Every structure is written in structure tokens, then in C-alpha cells.
Amino acid sequence: MKDRIMIGDLATHVGETVSICGWVDVRRDQGKMVFFDFRDRSGYVQGVVLPKSEAMEAAKELRNEYVVRVTGIVNARPEKNVQADKQNGSIELEITGIETLNAAETLPFEITGDTSGIDESVRLANRHLDLRSPRMQRNMKIRSEFVRRCREFLFSKDFTEIETPLLTESTPEGSRDFVVPSRLNPGKFYALPQSPQQYKQLLMTAGFERYFQTARAVRDEDLRADRGFEHTQIDVEMSFVEMEDVMQNIEAMITKVVEDMGFTIKEKPFPRISYKDAMEKYGADKFDLRTEEEKAQGILAYAWVVNFPFFEKTDDGKWTFTHNPFSMPIPEHVDWLMKGENIENILTTQYDIVCNGYESGGGSIRAHKPEILEATYKVMGYTKEEMEDRVGHMLDAFKYGTPPHGGIALGVERNIMNLTGETYLREVQAFPMTRGGQTSVMKAPKPLEKKQLDELGIAVKEQKKN
Ligand code: ASP
């Protein structure tokens, strides 16, 4: 709006008459005088309507969360009234005019403080209001800054940002797929991507050498505090690399990004530990290396975990992959894989990055020759035909000069949980699901109309009422 001054810049306008636009954060009516805190994206300022002011009538009408344009004189506060610890604590806006741009009913809950104590379903049904609260604003801004800085780093290293499809084929990543029916092909289904794994490898075949994407990944998993159906990955793939190249590049990116954001890293270079030693020492492949004091200081303790077993036994006694079927074994163990011997001892090139008790990313060097991927699927008991159906397109692509390659995906939410100290995934996503898998604000999942079902050729079985 014309002549709008941001609240965060007001201190440079002392003595001037200015206009701000924003929300009434708090209104304190003292009878003769009315005090306000106003809020815009840049911060907060106190305003006052003095006795006999022309703005008094309008001031009496305002309520919390009204959207206003306020005109006033920026006054320096007298020395004794300065609140040095508060933004704009040395100034006050002497209000001369108020224009209400939109009124607001009383909100369903208080948003001036921390909303984490509010009932989850109420918060998420009103997520657009919950997001106004200071903690949520901060979390979303930290998330945006983290992703922006990762992007900038990757661009500076000659990466190309490429989007991959959302409607794709069911992938063997290990979790359940979310599926989408096809109207044009009744009875057939797309799957939403669990990760861009295969596409990013195909982009290596395509010669881009350095790819990244801020990718959405969707998995139909049981919901937990640190896991939702949807999450975002900084997804990276590189050609002509070995484990060391990917790990060093990613470590350099994380270090630059979080240090530029003002965080402290406990140990550099990030310590490395084998899966075996981690299990012996911490009883898990994710662990928290911080002392109580370091936790209180918000320090970030990163570590790499390497030398994971490639395969593990399923409940029915077959072999399956522990992390990623597209991985390469460590160079010393390629021979065992090719011969199908010593399966339990084959280690994969997988590297996981752990931070403050969470697995915050993971990746590997990939099998880039058809015979290596075939050997992996053979160990897992696939016939030639089954292999062809599952990964035939990859086996085919690898025949046409696919370079050696590897990559990683960093979980954006997990990383932001570490940066903000949040323990719930939903605190770092704008519109998360409830624990019961309901969307915020919108009312999904819900039944389709008969006409839509008919078009898709779908008949829904009688559902039990819950
Ligand atoms: N596709 C893997 C995942 O989503 C990451 C990778 O190996 O790059 O976990």
C-alpha cells in the first residue's frame, strides 16, 4: 500500500508522521488512553491513542486481530520508559488516524503466545490462524531460510535444479505407496513418489552430472511424532563420485548453511562411525552426541554412520535391502554380491547423517551397471521377469553409458526440527496432517461423489463405520 512503512523500520523514522499496515496484536484500553501492539511481518510496535485524539472513536472500535492501516508520529520514548530488550522498545507510535481494512471475530484460541498447548484438532482446523503465532512464524521462516541457503550453495557448485513427476510408478522403496486412480486407464493406478530416486539416477544417465531438487516425498506410513505422510527432501545426485565426494560436498553445504544461520556445530569434520560400532555403543544407528549443557545451548551434533549391511532377512526368511536396492556394495564386497555369496556380510555404500538423535539424511553410491543391479535383485529372490517388471527401465538405461553416480536426500523437516528444537514434525510444516491422517483446514480424506467413482471405474466396498 502506498507510503507503507514496515514496523521493523520505524526506529529510523523518529519525529516523522508515517503509516503502518498490519494486525492489532493486543489492545489495552485504559479509558482515557488506548494502547496497542501492532504486528506486521517485520515485527511489533506499541502505539498509543492520547486523550482527545481524533483517532479515539476508531480506537474504541478496534479488537485484537483487526487488520488496520494506522497513521501516527514516531516518538522517541523518554529514557525511563525505554524497553531495551524489546523490538522498537525505544519508540512509540502516537496514533493520529486509524483505518480498519478488515474486522476480525474473536479467534478460536489465543495466538499471541505459544500455541503448542492448544488441542491439536482445533489448531489444525484453524492452521491459517495458528500460523500467525510467533513460534510458528519463526519456524516457517527458519525453514524457508534453510532451504534457500541449501539452494544457493548447490547453485554455487554448478548443480541444476530439476523437477521430477508427481504421478509415477509404484517404487520398491519399502513403504506403502499412495495411489492415484487413472480415469483414462480405468483399473490402473499411478503412485505418488516415495522419493525421486529412480528419476534422479535417470538424470545421471541423461548427463546432467549434478542434480538437485526440493522434492516432496509421500509414504503411506504409520504416523509418528517425527514422521508424516508427506515430507520434503533436499534431493541430490552426482556423477563421477565416490562416497567421500558426496559426503564431503554435503558436509560442506550443511556446515555453511547452519553456521551462516548462526548455529554452532559440536564437531568438525563430522565424526564418522560404522553401523556396527554405533549399535554397540548407542544401541541404535541414530544417537545424540550432545551433553545436557550443549542441548540447552542449541548446539548441533552431526555424525556420519557408514558400513551398513546391504541386506537383512525378512520374516519369511528371504533377503531384502536395508536401505536402498539401487545402492552399490562397498568396493571390496562387489564380488560377493556378483557371486551371491556371503550375503549377510556384504556392506553397502550407504551413508546416513545423524544430528541430535535424528537421522537427518541418507544416501549411497549406486549400482550403475545392469549386472550389479540384477545381482541385487537376484539375492532378493526376483526372477528375470519380476526384475524386468520392477526395474527393467533402469536396467535398460544402464546399458547406454550411465556414469558412476551417487547421491543423498536430506529430510527438510528433520533438519528444521533440529534447528528449532521442535520435537513434533507438524511444528515445522505449514499444513500438516493430524495424527489420524486428516488434513489441516481442508477436509480430506473424504468420499468421492458417485459420478467421479464411475468415471474412474471404481466401486468402493462397504466400509465399517468407525
Ligand atoms: N532415495 C533415498 C531416500 O529417499 C535417498 C537417497 O538415497 O538419495 O531415502
Short mmCIF file of all heavy atoms in Angstrom, two decimals, residues 196-206 237 324 326-327 366-368 394 398 402 405:
data_model
loop_
_atom_site.label_atom_id
_atom_site.label_comp_id
_atom_site.label_asym_id
_atom_site.label_seq_id
_atom_site.Cartn_x
_atom_site.Cartn_y
_atom_site.Cartn_z
N PRO A 196 12.45 -39.27 -5.35
CA PRO A 196 12.75 -39.21 -6.79
C PRO A 196 13.90 -40.14 -7.19
O PRO A 196 14.52 -39.93 -8.22
CB PRO A 196 13.15 -37.75 -7.02
CG PRO A 196 12.93 -37.04 -5.73
CD PRO A 196 12.94 -38.07 -4.66
N GLN A 197 14.18 -41.14 -6.36
CA GLN A 197 15.34 -42.00 -6.54
C GLN A 197 15.63 -42.40 -7.99
O GLN A 197 16.71 -42.16 -8.52
CB GLN A 197 15.18 -43.26 -5.70
CG GLN A 197 16.34 -44.23 -5.79
CD GLN A 197 17.58 -43.68 -5.12
OE1 GLN A 197 17.51 -43.06 -4.07
NE2 GLN A 197 18.72 -43.88 -5.74
N GLN A 198 14.65 -43.02 -8.64
CA GLN A 198 14.95 -43.55 -9.98
C GLN A 198 15.08 -42.43 -11.01
O GLN A 198 15.95 -42.48 -11.87
CB GLN A 198 13.87 -44.55 -10.39
CG GLN A 198 13.84 -45.73 -9.43
CD GLN A 198 12.88 -46.81 -9.88
OE1 GLN A 198 12.99 -47.30 -11.00
NE2 GLN A 198 11.97 -47.17 -9.01
N TYR A 199 14.23 -41.40 -10.88
CA TYR A 199 14.35 -40.29 -11.83
C TYR A 199 15.71 -39.60 -11.71
O TYR A 199 16.31 -39.19 -12.70
CB TYR A 199 13.24 -39.26 -11.61
CG TYR A 199 11.90 -39.73 -12.11
CD1 TYR A 199 10.86 -40.00 -11.24
CD2 TYR A 199 11.66 -39.89 -13.47
CE1 TYR A 199 9.63 -40.42 -11.70
CE2 TYR A 199 10.43 -40.31 -13.95
CZ TYR A 199 9.42 -40.58 -13.06
OH TYR A 199 8.20 -41.00 -13.53
N LYS A 200 16.17 -39.44 -10.45
CA LYS A 200 17.45 -38.72 -10.34
C LYS A 200 18.58 -39.54 -10.91
O LYS A 200 19.52 -39.00 -11.49
CB LYS A 200 17.71 -38.24 -8.90
CG LYS A 200 17.98 -39.27 -7.86
CD LYS A 200 18.38 -38.56 -6.55
CE LYS A 200 18.45 -39.48 -5.37
NZ LYS A 200 18.95 -38.80 -4.17
N GLN A 201 18.48 -40.86 -10.80
CA GLN A 201 19.51 -41.69 -11.43
C GLN A 201 19.41 -41.61 -12.95
O GLN A 201 20.42 -41.56 -13.64
CB GLN A 201 19.36 -43.13 -10.94
CG GLN A 201 19.73 -43.30 -9.47
CD GLN A 201 19.87 -44.76 -9.09
OE1 GLN A 201 19.13 -45.24 -8.26
NE2 GLN A 201 20.82 -45.45 -9.68
N LEU A 202 18.16 -41.55 -13.45
CA LEU A 202 17.99 -41.41 -14.91
C LEU A 202 18.55 -40.06 -15.39
O LEU A 202 19.04 -39.94 -16.52
CB LEU A 202 16.51 -41.56 -15.29
CG LEU A 202 15.93 -42.96 -15.06
CD1 LEU A 202 14.43 -42.98 -15.25
CD2 LEU A 202 16.61 -44.00 -15.97
N LEU A 203 18.49 -39.04 -14.51
CA LEU A 203 19.07 -37.75 -14.88
C LEU A 203 20.60 -37.83 -14.96
O LEU A 203 21.24 -37.03 -15.65
CB LEU A 203 18.63 -36.66 -13.89
CG LEU A 203 17.15 -36.28 -14.00
CD1 LEU A 203 16.72 -35.40 -12.82
CD2 LEU A 203 16.87 -35.55 -15.32
N MET A 204 21.18 -38.78 -14.24
CA MET A 204 22.63 -39.02 -14.37
C MET A 204 22.90 -39.68 -15.73
O MET A 204 23.83 -39.32 -16.44
CB MET A 204 23.16 -39.87 -13.22
CG MET A 204 23.02 -39.22 -11.85
SD MET A 204 23.85 -37.62 -11.67
CE MET A 204 22.46 -36.49 -11.76
N THR A 205 22.05 -40.65 -16.09
CA THR A 205 22.16 -41.24 -17.44
C THR A 205 22.05 -40.13 -18.48
O THR A 205 22.73 -40.14 -19.50
CB THR A 205 21.01 -42.26 -17.68
OG1 THR A 205 21.04 -43.22 -16.62
CG2 THR A 205 21.16 -42.95 -19.03
N ALA A 206 21.19 -39.14 -18.18
CA ALA A 206 20.94 -38.05 -19.12
C ALA A 206 22.07 -37.04 -19.19
O ALA A 206 22.02 -36.10 -19.98
CB ALA A 206 19.63 -37.35 -18.75
N GLU A 237 21.90 -35.67 -6.49
CA GLU A 237 22.59 -36.80 -7.14
C GLU A 237 23.77 -36.24 -7.93
O GLU A 237 23.67 -35.16 -8.52
CB GLU A 237 21.61 -37.56 -8.04
CG GLU A 237 22.08 -38.97 -8.43
CD GLU A 237 21.97 -40.02 -7.30
OE1 GLU A 237 21.40 -39.71 -6.24
OE2 GLU A 237 22.49 -41.12 -7.48
N ASN A 324 18.38 -49.23 0.45
CA ASN A 324 18.10 -48.81 -0.91
C ASN A 324 18.58 -49.89 -1.88
O ASN A 324 19.77 -50.20 -1.91
CB ASN A 324 18.86 -47.48 -1.15
CG ASN A 324 18.41 -46.77 -2.40
OD1 ASN A 324 17.97 -47.42 -3.35
ND2 ASN A 324 18.53 -45.46 -2.41
N PHE A 326 19.05 -49.74 -4.91
CA PHE A 326 19.86 -49.22 -6.02
C PHE A 326 21.31 -48.96 -5.62
O PHE A 326 22.09 -48.49 -6.42
CB PHE A 326 19.22 -47.96 -6.59
CG PHE A 326 17.86 -48.24 -7.15
CD1 PHE A 326 16.70 -47.89 -6.45
CD2 PHE A 326 17.71 -48.90 -8.35
CE1 PHE A 326 15.45 -48.18 -6.96
CE2 PHE A 326 16.47 -49.21 -8.87
CZ PHE A 326 15.33 -48.85 -8.17
N SER A 327 21.63 -49.23 -4.35
CA SER A 327 22.98 -48.95 -3.87
C SER A 327 24.00 -49.94 -4.42
O SER A 327 23.67 -51.05 -4.83
CB SER A 327 23.04 -49.02 -2.34
OG SER A 327 22.20 -48.06 -1.80
N ARG A 366 25.51 -45.64 -6.21
CA ARG A 366 24.54 -46.55 -6.83
C ARG A 366 25.21 -47.59 -7.73
O ARG A 366 26.29 -47.35 -8.27
CB ARG A 366 23.55 -45.76 -7.70
CG ARG A 366 23.17 -44.40 -7.19
CD ARG A 366 22.46 -44.42 -5.84
NE ARG A 366 22.06 -43.04 -5.48
CZ ARG A 366 21.53 -42.71 -4.32
NH1 ARG A 366 21.33 -43.61 -3.36
NH2 ARG A 366 21.18 -41.45 -4.07
N ALA A 367 24.46 -48.66 -7.91
CA ALA A 367 24.83 -49.61 -8.93
C ALA A 367 24.56 -48.92 -10.27
O ALA A 367 23.43 -48.50 -10.51
CB ALA A 367 23.99 -50.87 -8.81
N HIS A 368 25.57 -48.75 -11.13
CA HIS A 368 25.32 -48.05 -12.39
C HIS A 368 25.46 -48.98 -13.60
O HIS A 368 25.36 -48.56 -14.73
CB HIS A 368 26.24 -46.84 -12.55
CG HIS A 368 27.69 -47.20 -12.68
ND1 HIS A 368 28.45 -47.64 -11.62
CD2 HIS A 368 28.52 -47.20 -13.75
CE1 HIS A 368 29.67 -47.89 -12.03
NE2 HIS A 368 29.75 -47.64 -13.33
N MET A 394 15.39 -49.27 -15.53
CA MET A 394 16.70 -48.89 -15.00
C MET A 394 17.79 -49.77 -15.63
O MET A 394 18.85 -49.27 -16.04
CB MET A 394 16.75 -49.03 -13.46
CG MET A 394 15.73 -48.21 -12.72
SD MET A 394 15.90 -46.43 -13.00
CE MET A 394 17.29 -46.03 -11.96
N PHE A 398 20.88 -48.34 -17.90
CA PHE A 398 22.28 -48.57 -17.53
C PHE A 398 23.09 -49.17 -18.68
O PHE A 398 24.31 -49.23 -18.64
CB PHE A 398 22.37 -49.48 -16.29
CG PHE A 398 21.85 -48.85 -15.02
CD1 PHE A 398 21.66 -49.62 -13.88
CD2 PHE A 398 21.55 -47.50 -14.96
CE1 PHE A 398 21.19 -49.05 -12.71
CE2 PHE A 398 21.06 -46.93 -13.79
CZ PHE A 398 20.88 -47.71 -12.66
N THR A 402 25.59 -45.05 -18.60
CA THR A 402 25.30 -44.33 -17.35
C THR A 402 26.59 -44.19 -16.54
O THR A 402 27.26 -45.20 -16.29
CB THR A 402 24.25 -45.09 -16.52
OG1 THR A 402 23.03 -45.13 -17.27
CG2 THR A 402 24.00 -44.43 -15.18
N HIS A 405 27.67 -43.00 -10.23
CA HIS A 405 26.98 -41.88 -9.57
C HIS A 405 26.51 -42.25 -8.18
O HIS A 405 26.47 -43.43 -7.82
CB HIS A 405 25.81 -41.38 -10.42
CG HIS A 405 24.75 -42.41 -10.66
ND1 HIS A 405 24.86 -43.39 -11.62
CD2 HIS A 405 23.55 -42.61 -10.06
CE1 HIS A 405 23.78 -44.16 -11.60
NE2 HIS A 405 22.96 -43.71 -10.66
#
